[in-house]
Amino acid sequence: MAERVQVNQLVRDGRLIATTADSGYAPFLQNWCLSLEALGIHEYVVFALDLQTFHLLAAMDLKEHAIYDGPKESAAPGMLKGGVQAHKRAAAVSWYDERYKQLMGSQPSRVLRLLSAGTFDLLFTDADVLWRKSPWPELERASRRHCQVQAIAGHQRSPA
């Protein structure tokens, strides 16, 4: 319930931008957030995939934009429940890395969590996007409506 309230407090004009990141993507995430903030865009949320990222957002005074979605920490710092060492990455993973496949496989559930919080337009992006201008005017142009529908529904192939 708290996540639903948090998400709805961030929605502006029926719109929300979202991304995911862990500590290996920290420099990209900082640029992502700061470029949105510089444009005066505050309708965004970040799924923090580890505690380091959650704390980074808090240190940037952006804790209200962070949803912690990482492993549950035990009482021992750096340890996950069951005594497993918490993973901290120093760099982003490659497309060919198994962890990247796991991350991408879990994205649909995050999108559904956001959409279940309310009724709004959602733009889900990678964290390595640098915002130079607001995406909303371009996405809301009448001439782009067919593109949006294709992106949501997928490309339909004609029978062979």
Side-chain angles (χ1 to χ4, degrees), residues 114-141:
L114 290 174
L115 292 175
S116 70
T119 303
F120 50 86
D121 293 329
L122 176 64
L123 176 59
F124 205 98
T125 75
D126 290 339
D128 58 0
V129 171
L130 179 64
W131 301 96
R132 296 175 55 169
K133 63 181 184 175
S134 172
W136 299 121
E138 183 66 25
L139 292 173
E140 293 170 346
R141 283 189 336 175

Side-chain angles (χ1 to χ4, degrees), residues 4-108:
R4 176 181 293 246
V5 171
Q6 177 186 5
V7 168
N8 282 299
Q9 288 175 343
L10 293 170
V11 171
R12 305 276 193 289
D13 299 319
R15 305 180 298 212
L16 184 70
I17 302 172
T19 196
T20 59
D22 68 6
S23 55
Y25 246 64
F28 296 109
L29 179 62
Q30 288 175 302
N31 284 335
W32 191 88
C33 294
L34 293 174
S35 62
L36 284 170
E37 289 288 327
L39 293 169
I41 299 172
H42 306 289
E43 64 269 16
Y44 67 89
V45 67
V46 176
F47 282 102
L49 303 180
D50 56 29
L51 281 175
Q52 294 86 356
T53 304
F54 186 81
H55 293 309
L56 170 67
L57 291 164
M60 294 172 65
D61 201 26
L62 299 173
K63 188 174 180 179
E64 70 275 11
H65 295 276
I67 296 176
Y68 181 71
D69 197 36
K72 305 297 182 235
E73 295 279 340
S74 70
M79 297 296 284
L80 303 178
K81 289 194 190 278
V84 177
Q85 183 69 34
H87 180 68
K88 181 179 179 185
R89 291 192 296 109
V93 293
S94 160
W95 284 4
Y96 304 106
D97 190 295
E98 187 60 37
R99 291 171 293 174
Y100 181 80
K101 293 176 189 173
Q102 292 171 356
L103 172 65
M104 290 298 101
S106 60
Q107 296 295 52

